[in-house]
Amino acid sequence: MTTTLPTDSGARLPGLIRRLTGDEKHAPSAHSTIDVLQVLYDRVLRVTPDTVDAPERDRFLLSKGHGPAAYYAVLAAHGFIPDAWLDDLAGPESRLGHHPDRLLVPGVEIGSGSLGHGLGLAVGTALGLRAQGLLKPRVYVLLGDAELDEGSNHEAIAYAGATGLDNLTAVVVDNESASYGWAGGIASRFTVNGWTADTVDGRDHEALYAALTGHRPRHPHLVVARTESKG
């Protein structure tokens, strides 16, 4: 599959995000993800509006599905959805709900928003691609740090490490909203199970790009993107 990566969306995103209203309580969640999403769609993911069903496309799964304003804005900036859809978030006839719906929004891979499900779905997707002999596509999943309080994530972390799912990259946006946390930091919870990991400034696009493309053979990869504290 030949994919032309889109150009930089940064100039358009602020105006697109401002068009989304009605979910202000989740604005910090959306704001924390915007830089990761921009770098992924501008520079990393091999998927376009014309290849959303291509077997060889990269897959992006938004596990942090609540507060999806930034995600919708990025999809609009890259032509997956019309800009006009942003003016009717969660309206009676709108395709854009408070949680993304893969059956309604082009480019969305999973319905998400119920925390704790995305990483397990990403592991299953990566395993399915391997079983089909599709070795080029990568699976990227974006989680929040508080989401890791859900126990299902830790089964997925352990399984991915044990099976060496090197076509999987998990991105944890760390805005210090987790209730518990981990001694040694978030990355330690993954590396002890065989993952490779990079921890970077979640607003630094060059650092994010290097980390998102820094996966190594025979290991799933983690990127911890630190942002300002939610509190």
Side-chain angles (χ1 to χ4, degrees), residues 112-135:
S112 62
S114 182
L115 298 179
H117 293 174
L119 185 56
L121 288 169
V123 169
T125 301
L127 191 65
L129 290 170
R130 175 194 280 181
Q132 295 174 75
L134 295 170
L135 303 181

Side-chain angles (χ1 to χ4, degrees), residues 156-191:
I157 292 168
Y159 182 83
T163 53
L165 282 180
D166 57 2
N167 58 343
L168 173 64
T169 294
V171 185
V172 177
V173 173
D174 180 11
N175 62 0
E176 299 181 356
S177 58
S179 299
Y180 308 114
W182 299 267
I186 291 172
S188 65
R189 183 65 186 84
F190 288 75
T191 56

Side-chain angles (χ1 to χ4, degrees), residues 10 17 23 26 34 90 100 143 146 148 179 190 197 201 209 216:
I17 292 174
D23 193 26
H26 283 128
I34 186 63
L143 310 94
L148 293 178
S179 299
F190 288 75
D201 181 345
Y209 176 75
R216 282 75 111 184

Side-chain angles (χ1 to χ4, degrees), residues 33 36-37 40-41 44-47 52 54-55 57-66 68 71-72 74-75 80 99-102 105-129 137-144 147 153 156 165 167-173 195 212 221 223:
T33 64
V36 171
L37 289 168
L40 278 169
Y41 277 89
V44 178
L45 292 173
R46 297 181 312 108
V47 63
V52 291
R57 74 188 186 281
D58 288 338
R59 275 76 166 170
F60 171 73
L61 282 60
L62 181 68
S63 186
K64 186 181 170 74
H66 56 293
Y71 185 37
Y72 291 151
V74 169
L75 289 176
F80 290 89
H99 293 172
D101 188 328
R102 72 178 185 86
V105 186
V108 170
E109 295 280 357
I110 60 170
S112 62
S114 182
L115 298 179
H117 293 174
L119 185 56
L121 288 169
V123 169
T125 301
L127 191 65
L129 290 170
R138 289 198 63 77
V139 179
Y140 296 83
V141 56
L142 177 61
L143 310 94
E147 192 174 353
N153 288 290
L165 282 180
N167 58 343
L168 173 64
T169 294
V171 185
V172 177
V173 173
W195 292 59
L212 290 165
H221 187 55
V223 176

